[in-house]
Amino acid sequence: MNKHDSLEYLCPHCGIVNTFPLHALRDMYQEQVETCKCCGKNLSLTAADGIAGQINLVIGELDQDIQAK
């Protein structure tokens, strides 16, 4: 894994492909908030170690109540 890679993921709301710029040393296991470029939903992204040196990207939609805090 390079220090600066971009990962692709599908938005769980609309299904469009987005990219996430991952800075492996800084962003692993830290929740990041990104906005879908198509539907505008705020998404929670967390990068984690996967099998055979791969990166797993855990993605979920953020609720409006959580965003306001």
Side-chain angles (χ1 to χ4, degrees):
M1 173 98 208
N2 294 327
K3 285 186 180 181
H4 305 286
D5 282 336
S6 288
L7 301 176
E8 291 184 337
Y9 65 93
L10 294 176
C11 173
H13 182 74
C14 68
I16 193 140
V17 175
N18 287 288
T19 58
F20 174 65
L22 178 70
H23 303 281
L25 298 176
R26 183 187 71 201
D27 295 339
M28 293 298 286
Y29 297 100
Q30 299 293 320
E31 181 183 36
Q32 307 291 318
V33 176
E34 296 284 322
T35 302
C36 176
K37 65 183 178 187
C38 179
C39 67
K41 286 280 188 184
N42 283 335
L43 306 172
S44 166
L45 290 87
T46 304
D49 289 321
I51 297 173
Q54 298 293 315
I55 300 293
N56 287 337
L57 194 56
V58 181
I59 305 161
E61 289 183 41
L62 291 176
D63 292 332
Q64 294 294 336
D65 293 338
I66 294 172
Q67 294 174 35
K69 292 182 180 179

